[in-house]
Amino acid sequence: MPGYGDFRSTFSRAAAFLGLFSLALVQYGVAQGADVPANARAKSSGVGWECKRGFQEKNGACVAVPVPKDAYVRDLGYGRGWECRRGFRETGDLCKEIPVPTNAYLNASGTRWECHRGFRQHEDTCVRVKLPENAYLADPTYRLGWKCDHGYRQEGERCAAIKVPANAYLSGDSYGPGWVCKRGYRASDDACSVIKVPANGYLDEQNAGRGWKCERGFAEQSGSCVPLRIPANAHLDYTGNAWECDRQFRQRGETCVLP
């Protein structure tokens, strides 16, 4: 079993190795620092160098970033090294002020303008929105600057009332007819006709074809619901409107037989 003396000896050798390693790192960093050009600094890792703020590396040297008027330095390590201030737009090597027309304001990004409420953009100006009857002001970015009230739809520069047929109600959809038939009715041209549900059937709005479905144990046949004839060794399938053979049996015509 190692004694206390052996432990001290091992510890001393480890400390000496760490000291030599640290000295080597310092010497390496000093050597690297000797090659750091003007307007640069050694990297925090101790290896290599990087240009100071406002300078960019070119051909092994750090040259000043030419920042135009109304711009500020942005250290990205690539590109121009500068960006225009809020309210200005980069044009070539300059920053030109963004002209904001009357009745407009700079948006949050500060790179473009938007019209005030009640005005809409027309080329490089903001013109007042001409609000027709039965309409309300919408987002300024919307083409017309207004939308029709509920129950009306846009027709050119006006809002026309939506004609809702009997057994229908207004929908919130801006497309299509603007109305929906009540339950038990279906759209037919500009009217809502009643859905005729046969005996042993029920209304099913998800059935776009007929609007109704047969009860479980019945099948549709020529617009009627007829009882299913389930052969021996068979059962109703998941739809409830057809049958399938039990396990170990295979359908042959209208019967289920062993394979």
Side-chain angles (χ1 to χ4, degrees):
M1 182 174 182
Y4 178 70
D6 294 333
F7 174 78
R8 289 186 59 187
S9 177
T10 301
F11 180 79
S12 298
R13 287 196 297 271
F17 173 78
L18 289 175
L20 291 172
F21 182 73
S22 299
L23 179 61
L25 286 179
V26 171
Q27 291 175 344
Y28 181 76
V30 170
Q32 292 292 314
D35 297 327
V36 176
N39 302 311
R41 57 173 174 264
K43 290 185 177 180
S44 58
S45 64
V47 180
W49 52 268
E50 60 187 2
C51 294
K52 295 179 180 178
R53 177 178 173 79
F55 295 84
Q56 285 184 328
E57 189 276 330
K58 286 186 179 180
N59 301 321
C62 290
V63 298
V65 174
V67 182
K69 182 182 178 183
D70 299 312
Y72 61 93
V73 173
R74 188 176 183 189
D75 292 328
L76 296 175
Y78 58 89
R80 297 176 181 272
W82 56 266
E83 282 191 1
C84 294
R85 293 194 298 108
R86 173 181 169 81
F88 292 81
R89 182 182 294 123
E90 181 181 323
T91 305
D93 294 328
L94 302 175
C95 288
K96 291 190 176 181
E97 186 173 4
I98 298 172
V100 180
T102 306
N103 301 312
Y105 60 94
L106 274 174
N107 68 349
S109 68
T111 57
R112 60 187 179 88
W113 53 266
E114 295 179 3
C115 294
H116 286 299
R117 177 177 169 80
F119 296 84
R120 65 182 179 86
Q121 183 176 348
H122 176 67
E123 296 179 352
D124 294 329
T125 64
C126 289
V127 296
R128 186 176 294 278
V129 173
K130 296 179 180 179
L131 194 64
E133 291 186 35
N134 305 307
Y136 61 93
L137 289 174
D139 191 297
T141 58
Y142 188 68
R143 185 176 64 86
L144 294 174
W146 54 265
K147 291 183 179 181
C148 293
D149 292 330
H150 185 65
Y152 294 83
R153 63 172 26 172
Q154 179 190 338
E155 289 186 1
E157 298 293 327
R158 71 187 189 94
C159 290
I162 296 173
K163 296 179 180 178
V164 182
N167 302 309
Y169 59 90
L170 286 169
S171 68
D173 192 356
S174 58
Y175 303 96
W179 49 265
V180 178
C181 291
K182 295 179 181 178
R183 176 175 169 79
Y185 296 84
R186 63 170 43 192
S188 177
D189 295 328
D190 294 329
C192 290
S193 57
V194 64
I195 298 174
K196 296 179 181 179
V197 182
N200 302 310
Y202 62 93
L203 284 171
D204 182 15
E205 295 177 352
Q206 294 182 349
N207 191 330
R210 297 184 297 269
W212 55 268
K213 187 177 180 181
C214 290
E215 298 281 1
R216 180 177 172 81
F218 293 82
E220 190 275 330
Q221 184 177 326
S222 301
S224 301
C225 291
V226 297
L228 280 172
R229 295 180 180 180
I230 304 176
N233 303 311
H235 59 274
L236 287 173
D237 67 4
Y238 73 97
T239 67
N241 302 118
W243 58 267
E244 61 186 5
C245 293
D246 297 339
R247 293 180 181 178
Q248 298 182 346
F249 290 86
R250 181 176 298 168
Q251 183 175 350
R252 179 181 295 172
E254 296 298 322
T255 62
C256 291
V257 297
L258 286 170

